Amino acid sequence: MDNKKCSKYEGLFVFSDEETLKKHVAECEECRAEHEKMEKVSELLDEVKFYYRAKDKKKRNGFRAACAAVFLGISLLSVSIIATNEDLTETLMYGDTLSAEELGFPVDSYGLLMVDE
């Protein structure tokens, strides 16, 4: 059994700069083999990341379409309610504002809201 295995690769990979890692990999056979494995894994990840991103993009586009449909539905519903309610269409004109009395709140002689004590 070989008790002198190098265990520096992980520490150098995580904590040191790339130049120091490359220098150690060039000198150490075990770390070179580990580095080659990591490079192969990195290449595989580069190959498949397109498929995962495409799947995420498809989900995101579906969510956006659902949000747009809900917004459109709420907008159409509110416009149709306003258009069919004759009281609102007669009362609300562009630029008009409703007073508290017109909204049905109790007001005093000055037109201010009355508050019970």
Side-chain angles (χ1 to χ4, degrees), residues 48-96:
V48 298
K49 72 181 174 185
F50 169 76
Y51 299 109
Y52 286 107
R53 286 186 180 163
K55 189 189 314 183
D56 288 343
K57 190 174 182 181
K58 191 181 272 189
K59 285 181 185 178
R60 215 174 348 189
N61 287 341
F63 179 71
R64 287 179 183 165
C67 288
V70 168
F71 176 74
L72 182 65
I74 290 173
S75 299
L76 289 175
L77 181 66
S78 61
V79 167
S80 66
I81 288 173
I82 291 173
T84 57
N85 192 345
E86 293 176 10
D87 294 335
L88 282 177
T89 54
E90 290 175 9
T91 307
L92 291 176
M93 296 293 173
Y94 181 73
D96 290 345

Side-chain angles (χ1 to χ4, degrees), residues 19-37:
E19 189 176 309
T20 308
L21 176 66
K22 285 184 179 182
K23 183 178 177 184
H24 180 74
V25 167
E27 296 171 358
C28 180
E29 185 66 37
E30 292 174 8
C31 292
R32 187 177 312 121
E34 186 70 24
H35 188 68
E36 288 173 2
K37 286 181 193 177

